[in-house]
Amino acid sequence: MKKTMLKKWSASVLTAVLTLSLTTSVWVPQANAATTPVQKHGQLSIANGQLVDKNGTSVQLKGMSSHGIQWYGNYVNKDTMKWLRDDWGITVFRVAMYTAENGYISNPSLKNKVKEAVAAAQDLGVYVIIDWHILSDNDPNIYKTQSKAFFSEMAGLYKDSPNVIYELANEPNGGVTWNGQIRPYAQEVTQVIRAKDPDNIIIVGTGTWSQDVHDAADNQLPDKNTMYAVHFYAGTHGQFLRDRIDYALSKKAPVFVTEWGTSDASGNGGPFLSESKVWTNFLANRKISWANWSLSDKNEASAALQSGASATGGWTVNNLTASGKFVRDETRLGATTSTTDPDTTTTPPTTGGDTGTTTPTDPKGKLVLQYRNGDSNPTDNAIRPVFNIKNNGSTAVNLSDLKIRYYYSDESQQKQQFFIDWASVGGTNISGAFGTPTTSKTTANRYVELSFGSGAGSIPAGGQSGDIQARIHPADWSNYNEANDYSYGANQSALTDWNKASIYNKGTLVWGTTP
């Protein structure tokens, strides 16, 4: 179950299924950002219904939510948050402090874990959400007195910390409404916060487990820097809730998705990664910030970590669930994870081969193909290349304009079969075709060419495609011998820039050396 009780949601469960195949490679974290998210964006505020930074530029924060810190507080610490910043590219971390369910009301010392997380976020330069996590105590007014005292203390401590965000009521439910119970509660608590902290962002949950954002949009709070929470679970909540968000935005009501999961609403069905990608694309297109549920090793589909994963970060692919791997890819899209200037590094190598091009040029921006070997056995019946495309240019690139070629030797001379086991952009948005290089060699008498449909979207400037896990088999399922294949990297267990596979942009070779 999502937390400790099964919720009753208003939408029927979707049943999108995506076949997954996780490899056993080890990831190496990227270099720390030259400037932290808080250094880059500074004090946040609301302008024209959008979250904006110190320069008035719309900003989308992306990150993780803890599970309840009374149960999984071991994952809330500076080491883990640093790993999430440096390897995942998160810009925000949400600390879920339950009020009931053995939470703060019965154990006020839990606020010390909140303070620990805020101190870590201050040192790391990431934004942090202090979440008053009501759930079984469905009406936020039940513990309003305690809420006001808590947020008064927090605002007094963090009034000068631009990275702090206050979330006043996680998921009002059980029949409470925006106008009847939630808005009056939020007005009182907001006044307490603003008496000490006039600037930092406040987020207020909405009715029906933070789905009724349309009600809040019709009667917004007077505070100029208040946002309205939406929560969704990809296997349950679909277009109806996206329509509500669009309605809220049309009313200039700023929305923050402070919690979402790849599972169904129980937390334990799925994961529904195809529908999750629909959601993350939707949020990216509208610059809506989000935090994923949850950073825990709980035995449920929405948890990011496998059981027993380290409480201090440093996770390999074996330590992540299917959900965790998907969310890592999504947070890394567009994240700044290098200290170098992306427009002055990584010059594509000289090439020849299929098109006769000698110096690749990319009219859309500097594209780089990364590769890792997803199969440590070079003599089995599968070739499993994993790709990631980085856009180091200053202009977005449509994936539908691009093709990837991977060169290999087919000993079987059988018809070849192509599969996408998993892709951040959605496996159904990628197809494969086989061809023969202009000059056939023992190291490369075949290539597979990956193409992208329009649904794959684009790679923003400074962004990347996320993992593309491909798989090739001969029709008779006989074995390959990949050891001498042109594009094969026996020791490439982590993504690395790889010039033995190529990228074509609208038919022009822009990266890689062909055989």
Side-chain angles (χ1 to χ4, degrees):
M1 299 175 67
K2 173 176 174 284
K3 299 169 186 177
T4 60
M5 60 187 293
L6 180 63
K7 299 179 175 182
K8 296 180 182 178
W9 301 83
S10 61
S12 61
V13 176
L14 301 178
T15 56
V17 177
L18 187 63
T19 302
L20 303 175
S21 174
L22 296 181
T23 62
T24 58
S25 63
V26 177
W27 286 327
V28 178
Q30 304 296 313
N32 295 358
T35 58
T36 68
V38 176
Q39 287 172 331
K40 179 179 180 181
H41 297 296
Q43 181 67 55
L44 303 175
S45 61
I46 304 301
N48 199 31
Q50 287 284 327
L51 184 66
V52 299
D53 67 9
K54 61 184 179 182
N55 300 313
T57 303
S58 294
V59 60
Q60 184 194 27
L61 304 180
K62 296 189 292 186
M64 291 299 296
S65 174
S66 75
H67 204 298
I69 56 176
Q70 75 271 39
W71 301 307
Y72 296 96
N74 57 318
Y75 287 109
V76 180
N77 59 72
K78 185 175 181 179
D79 288 338
T80 293
M81 292 168 66
K82 184 177 186 297
W83 180 265
L84 288 168
R85 183 196 69 175
D86 295 346
D87 184 62
W88 290 40
I90 72 161
T91 51
V92 64
F93 186 84
R94 179 181 187 242
V95 189
M97 188 189 74
Y98 279 66
T99 46
E101 300 166 89
N102 298 315
Y104 174 79
I105 300 303
S106 61
N107 183 13
S109 67
L110 283 174
K111 70 181 178 182
N112 294 326
K113 177 59 72 171
V114 174
K115 294 176 182 179
E116 177 188 346
V118 174
Q122 290 172 324
D123 289 343
L124 296 170
V126 298
Y127 294 92
V128 60
I129 299 172
I130 299 174
D131 167 32
W132 184 259
H133 200 92
I134 68 167
L135 186 61
S136 62
D137 49 330
N138 49 18
D139 185 342
N141 294 284
I142 292 174
Y143 298 119
K144 179 173 67 177
T145 299
Q146 294 91 331
S147 173
K148 291 166 72 172
F150 173 80
F151 281 111
S152 178
E153 179 181 357
M154 296 298 110
L157 289 171
Y158 305 124
K159 61 182 182 295
D160 298 319
S161 295
N163 67 318
V164 171
I165 298 170
Y166 309 102
E167 185 174 5
L168 306 190
N170 167 61
E171 291 184 350
N173 64 84
V176 299
T177 65
W178 176 255
N179 290 325
Q181 292 85 19
I182 304 167
R183 191 178 189 277
Y185 159 84
Q187 283 186 294
E188 288 192 45
V189 180
T190 295
Q191 289 171 358
V192 168
I193 293 173
R194 291 300 183 226
K196 296 181 176 180
D197 184 344
D199 299 318
N200 280 333
I201 296 294
I202 292 172
I203 304 172
V204 183
T206 57
T208 316
W209 296 282
S210 285
Q211 293 174 74
D212 295 343
V213 70
H214 56 303
D215 291 339
D218 285 336
N219 191 12
Q220 298 175 43
L221 288 156
D223 182 76
K224 66 180 182 179
N225 285 325
T226 288
M227 305 184 74
Y228 305 97
V230 170
H231 292 180
F232 72 84
Y233 283 79
T236 299
H237 306 106
Q239 190 59 48
F240 87 96
L241 190 51
R242 291 191 286 271
D243 289 343
R244 288 184 178 182
I245 292 173
D246 278 340
Y247 176 80
L249 296 179
S250 75
K251 295 283 189 174
K252 305 299 182 184
V255 174
F256 199 125
V257 175
T258 54
E259 181 179 316
W260 71 273
T262 62
S263 66
D264 65 23
S266 73
N268 204 30
F272 298 89
L273 300 186
S274 293
E275 185 61 24
S276 294
K277 185 61 180 175
V278 173
W279 268 107
T280 54
N281 285 344
F282 172 87
L283 299 176
N285 289 338
R286 289 154 180 78
K287 286 279 190 177
I288 297 175
S289 299
W290 54 257
N292 175 258
W293 184 272
S294 67
L295 186 70
S296 75
D297 65 347
K298 187 176 181 180
N299 184 25
E300 62 180 10
S302 60
L305 303 176
Q306 296 282 5
S307 178
S310 167
T312 56
W315 306 303
T316 70
V317 66
N318 286 335
N319 302 132
L320 301 188
T321 63
S323 180
K325 189 171 186 303
F326 174 85
V327 175
R328 177 183 182 269
D329 284 343
E330 289 300 306
T331 55
R332 285 168 67 94
L333 284 173
T336 302
T337 54
S338 173
T339 58
T340 57
D341 180 352
D343 286 323
T344 60
T345 59
T346 316
T347 301
T350 301
T351 187
D354 291 356
T355 64
T357 303
T358 56
T359 305
T361 57
D362 184 1
K364 290 284 189 177
K366 295 181 179 179
L367 297 176
V368 175
L369 183 63
Q370 294 189 316
Y371 158 84
R372 65 179 171 88
N373 176 18
D375 185 351
S376 60
N377 183 357
T379 57
D380 60 12
N381 62 14
I383 299 174
R384 298 177 185 267
V386 180
F387 304 109
N388 177 49
I389 304 173
K390 296 175 65 178
N391 178 10
N392 285 344
S394 58
T395 306
V397 177
N398 291 326
L399 278 165
S400 59
D401 291 339
L402 306 183
K403 296 182 187 296
I404 298 172
R405 285 189 182 179
Y406 178 91
Y407 302 90
Y408 66 101
S409 179
D410 168 32
E411 292 80 15
S412 72
Q413 296 300 307
Q414 295 285 317
K415 180 179 179 181
Q416 302 292 286
Q417 302 177 89
F418 174 83
F419 304 90
I420 289 291
D421 287 331
W422 190 82
S424 179
V425 299
T428 58
N429 292 315
I430 304 173
S431 59
F434 296 93
T436 302
T438 304
T439 304
S440 183
K441 300 180 179 180
T442 57
T443 59
N445 60 23
R446 292 262 194 172
Y447 63 77
V448 61
E449 183 175 82
L450 282 66
S451 301
F452 300 87
S454 59
S458 62
I459 309 176
Q464 50 195 315
S465 67
D467 272 14
I468 301 164
Q469 299 181 10
R471 177 164 48 94
I472 308 162
H473 295 281
D476 63 355
W477 294 84
S478 58
N479 290 336
Y480 295 108
N481 181 2
E482 298 178 73
N484 294 320
D485 285 1
Y486 181 80
S487 294
Y488 179 75
N491 299 316
Q492 300 305 319
S493 59
L495 284 171
T496 189
D497 297 356
W498 196 247
N499 65 6
K500 289 192 173 182
S502 53
I503 299 176
Y504 291 82
N505 189 341
K506 293 185 176 179
T508 299
L509 181 65
V510 296
W511 171 267
T513 303
T514 58

